[in-house]
Amino acid sequence: MCGIVGYIGKKCNLKKVLIDDLKTLEYRGYDSSGIAIFDGNMKIIKAKGKIKNLEESLKKIDIKNSELGIAHTRWATHGEANDINSHPHRVGCVTLVHNGIIENYVELKDDLIKKGYHFVSDTDTEVVSALLDDIKKKEKDNIKAINKLTLVLEGSYALGIIFDDDYEHLYAIKKDSPLIVGICDDCNLIASDVTAIIEHTKNYMLMNDYEIVRLSKDKVEVFDKNLKIIQKEILEVSWDINQAKKNGFSHFMLKEIHDEPTVLKNTISEYIKDVHTLVNKMPNFSKYNKIHIVACGSAMHAGLVGKSIVEEYANIPVTVELASEYRYKKNFYDKKTLVIFISQSGETADTIAALRNVKADKIDTLAIVNVVGSTIAREADQVLYIRAGVEIAVATTKAYMLQVAMLILVALNIAYVNKSMDVEEINKILKEFKKLPKFVDEIIAREKECFKVAKEISNQEDVFFLGRGVDYALSMEGSLKLKEISYIHSEAYPAGELKHGTISLIENGTIVVGIMSNDKLAPKLLSNIKETVARGAKILIITTDNLNMEFDFDCHKFVINKVHNILQPILIVVPLQLIAFEVARQRGCDIDKPRNLAKSVTVE
Ligand code: F6R
């Protein structure tokens, strides 16, 4: 979490440049922000809350056009969100911004206090600044000083550093937190991700752990761990700046839901021509008899949909685990196990740690990732990119849909390899897959219907989502979407389990959302729904047109096209996303930046 950005180059209105760049990183954290600009003097301005507060504060401060600056948007880890704890932190000759967590900062701080340093904030970052200042007392060479710093720091960091003895350069280093370098004709930049540099350039370098970069106005030098200068590949951002804009939508979340038909079409069209194309474009799955799926949050929910369909159609066992648990537990795998890591950002700390453990055990890994060149994408043995484009809203929508789509393709591929489905049926499904973008589009066109239902939910305190089988996995995503952006308490339950305890929470007026797409399980789900009706629940049912069930109780029904069961989750999730969005809108919530959250969870 946290976003950092730094600029060195042609003299400009750096306040504006850094604020504009920082705003593109606000999804990474928005508890507070700050900026340090050298305009002959080092000026540091910080503000609690969103970047617009910093922008307001900056209006009152006179900063001359300048060539060097760093900025930060914070997701608080050490110490509350206030001005003092905000970055940049300046101690002695060092001013820096930091994304990550320093695990041994307490010991380091004690040592530094003994040496006479005083600390004003509660942060680990101020300790890093002091430590580097202390190192600088003996080590005048800035590259060597940064290198020495890495020998002492434990934890994760991407640091943007300005030294008082060298305003001709901007320095940066990373370990376990993302850092890229943007290369332009009239400036060079550092940032947590490419969205921050895209206004300036499409050319960038991906930094590896412990590489140190020294940027001047017209030069970028990268040093490896042994302080040798190395040549890095210059990459090109493949997407357009417009993808990072709302393009007329009120919110990024709504825009990203509206992106779904297009990105779904673009991604699947590469694979679905016929079964041979599918098999040729994907890794070879023939050696595996077991799959583990490891991820966090919505990506884990996509994994649960994947489990349901891979087991059903490809006939091999799948376990789905939260990365934060998997990384610390005993796992049972062997050479015939494939471990799949799912991540939109490719930078989620727990997922990275789990991936590294599995790789250390020499087990095969596959990443299903959105962000090209991200850590998980680079470190897994194989990668399937979902190519959802930039996702800015903290709550994932289009990336979740494409994670599910990719897992369906994986399931079909394994089903072919295992001969658990015949080729004709797979080809039939692939043909139907082509129609899905249009169906998604049609559901989005009915957003007003979803918005009407949302009205019923928006004044509730508790909402329950019920499903069975794959519909339970979808319930979990529907429930998470609702609670994370609307702050309404919500639970997802496998419908048959309700009566073993949770049904005691159902009372007059409680909203229950039943997801009913699975033909075989629909009657069972209906019985469970009726049990809640008998206790006063108000019901919304999301179902498919083939089921055509008559209900002998009042309810809202949202009916979508029936497609092959394996494809159905892609359509079911759309009304869930739209309802959550509208509930949050009606409650006046900050939909794209829900409280306490950040898009990229780079801390444990
Ligand atoms: C919820 C959401 C999160 C992420 C989770 C994993 O809407 O977006 O639950 O799914 O933080 O993030 P990634 O996919 O980047 O690993």
Side-chain angles (χ1 to χ4, degrees), residues 211-312:
E211 286 172 355
I212 302 172
V213 61
R214 177 166 63 196
L215 300 90
S216 66
K217 280 184 215 174
D218 48 18
K219 196 164 161 196
V220 172
E221 295 161 291
V222 181
F223 299 81
D224 70 7
K225 232 176 161 173
N226 305 315
L227 306 190
K228 296 241 154 42
I229 292 211
I230 51 169
Q231 293 308 316
K232 299 270 302 177
E233 188 185 356
I234 302 202
L235 306 165
E236 201 181 312
V237 183
S238 57
W239 46 269
D240 193 66
I241 181 75
N242 285 328
Q243 284 193 26
K245 296 194 169 149
K246 285 190 201 148
N247 293 337
F249 287 94
S250 58
H251 298 83
F252 277 111
M253 184 177 175
L254 192 60
K255 181 225 166 217
E256 286 157 10
I257 294 172
H258 279 256
D259 283 346
E260 286 175 344
T262 312
V263 290
L264 179 65
K265 187 171 171 201
N266 292 345
T267 297
I268 62 174
S269 55
E270 193 184 324
Y271 300 94
I272 62 175
K273 192 167 161 269
D274 53 35
V275 72
H276 301 293
T277 315
L278 177 70
V279 171
N280 289 337
K281 293 267 175 179
M282 282 203 162
N284 183 348
F285 294 108
S286 58
K287 82 181 233 210
Y288 306 113
N289 62 13
K290 192 161 68 180
I291 290 180
H292 289 187
I293 296 180
V294 182
C296 300
S298 290
M300 193 279 287
H301 295 162
L304 288 171
V305 173
K307 171 185 165 69
S308 182
I309 55 186
V310 171
E311 288 184 342
E312 169 103 22

Side-chain angles (χ1 to χ4, degrees), residues 88-126:
H89 286 279
R90 177 172 169 80
V91 178
C93 69
V94 174
T95 306
L96 58 79
V97 286
H98 169 215
N99 165 211
I101 285 192
I102 304 303
E103 286 161 5
N104 58 339
Y105 86 102
V106 175
E107 299 97 276
L108 295 172
K109 190 170 182 174
D110 287 346
D111 287 350
L112 289 159
I113 288 171
K114 282 182 204 138
K115 288 184 175 176
Y117 281 93
H118 298 284
F119 291 91
V120 293
S121 78
D122 305 316
T123 64
D124 50 346
T125 307
E126 192 185 10

Side-chain angles (χ1 to χ4, degrees), residues 196-221:
I197 59 154
I198 192 84
E199 278 285 359
H200 305 267
T201 180
K202 285 199 158 192
N203 298 328
Y204 71 103
M205 290 174 184
L206 273 172
M207 299 296 290
N208 291 321
D209 284 356
Y210 299 113
E211 286 172 355
I212 302 172
V213 61
R214 177 166 63 196
L215 300 90
S216 66
K217 280 184 215 174
D218 48 18
K219 196 164 161 196
V220 172
E221 295 161 291

